[in-house]
Amino acid sequence: MTPEAFTSPDGAAVVDAAARLRGRAHRTPVFTSRLVDRLCGAGFYFKCENLQRAGAFKFRGACNALLKLAPAQQRAGVVAFSSGNHAQAVALAAGELGIPATIVMPLDAPAEKLAATRSYGARVITYDRYRENREDIARELSTREGLAVLPPFDHPDVIAGQGTAALELFEDAGPLDALFVPLGGGGLLAGTLLASGIAAAGCAVYGVEPAAGDDGRQSLRLGRIVSIPVPRTLADGAQTQALGQLTFPIIRERVTDILAVEDEALVEAMGILARHLKLLVEPTGCLGLAGACSMAPALAGRRVGVILSGGNVDPARLASLLPRR
Ligand SMILES: *Cc1c(COP(=O)(O)O)cnc(C)c1O
């Protein structure tokens, strides 16, 4: 099925997804730190999806979408394409549900992500992300083998599943003035906006993407989906080239703004989270905090939510990125 065939999810779909995921996805903790509040100039509530199963919020969307497949399709299996975290999420959730999974992954994906995906029992097919189109590869497999394509963001059940992280944050942190959300293809941001629509109407929601790949910001300004070459950034989970047919309209209608941050700001945020919260957060997972810090003066005295979207980074690599103090 193509995304055009899907109808847009709504807030009720996020609430449904939350019920479906209970006992399957972790209800991740919300961390606070007075030291970080003082450093960054606001009252922060960190939603720790780096501690989610398979190491990122992507487990929520994948699990929700797999549970909603028709039984015959669950038997036939699924194919997913991903730069890493979606792959691991689909592989883990499908393995648990007894659904055969094939994952199309870039050749240059981090080795630990390739290995983890295989270890969950999925079949892995690699491709060159600078030359080949992963969606074409997945579609061809889908036609040949009868597999359902499970896209990483542009799917209503994936978007609804991703929104459950923010729903939990609103429940656990209480009223927030602003929420900062990492942005790649927009599944997490669109789901978050649907959740805020029903649970936190007064909360400003910002998407944050890497400056090298600010297609989301350009799309918002121009009012249409802007497509860019694969951006080169530390934020490997946000190397998407364009927002989706389903995610863009939701984002355009509801988002407060989209911010872009440099890789150096991601490294700075990664250091703050490691030193003061003892949290291992991958560069893409630091987009939200980096975005909030870039707006710091305007956030003084505010209650600010940040989604730490993933923690799949080799600790040695994280250490090598951090400047010595
Ligand atoms: C996939 C991913 C994102 C971006 O999510 P989208 O739904 O594509 O916008 C952000 N952070 C991490 C850790 C991810 O794995």
Side-chain angles (χ1 to χ4, degrees), residues 55-58 85-86 113 152-153 162 182-189 237-238 240 282 284-285 287 309-311:
F57 72 91
K58 293 256 182 13
N85 286 338
H86 177 61
K113 290 189 179 182
F153 52 84
Q162 318 304 33
L183 172 60
L188 181 63
L189 180 58
T240 39
E282 64 184 274
T284 316
L287 282 165
S309 52

Side-chain angles (χ1 to χ4, degrees), residues 9 11 23-24 29 32 70 82 98 103 112 122 129 135 158-159 176 189 239 242 255 259 264 273 280 299:
R24 295 185 186 276
T32 58
S82 165
I103 313 291
E112 68 269 23
R129 72 164 119 194
E135 300 182 33
V158 172
I159 294 169
L176 296 175
L189 180 58
Q239 282 182 310
V255 80
L259 314 173
E264 298 82 78
L273 293 165
L280 200 59
L299 297 175

Side-chain angles (χ1 to χ4, degrees), residues 4 17 40-41 116 121 124 145 152 160 229 233 239 280 282:
E4 294 76 49
C40 302
V124 173
E145 301 183 12
T233 163
Q239 282 182 310
L280 200 59
E282 64 184 274

Side-chain angles (χ1 to χ4, degrees), residues 111 153 180 220 294 302:
F153 52 84
F180 292 83
L220 195 63
S294 78
R302 302 283 168 176

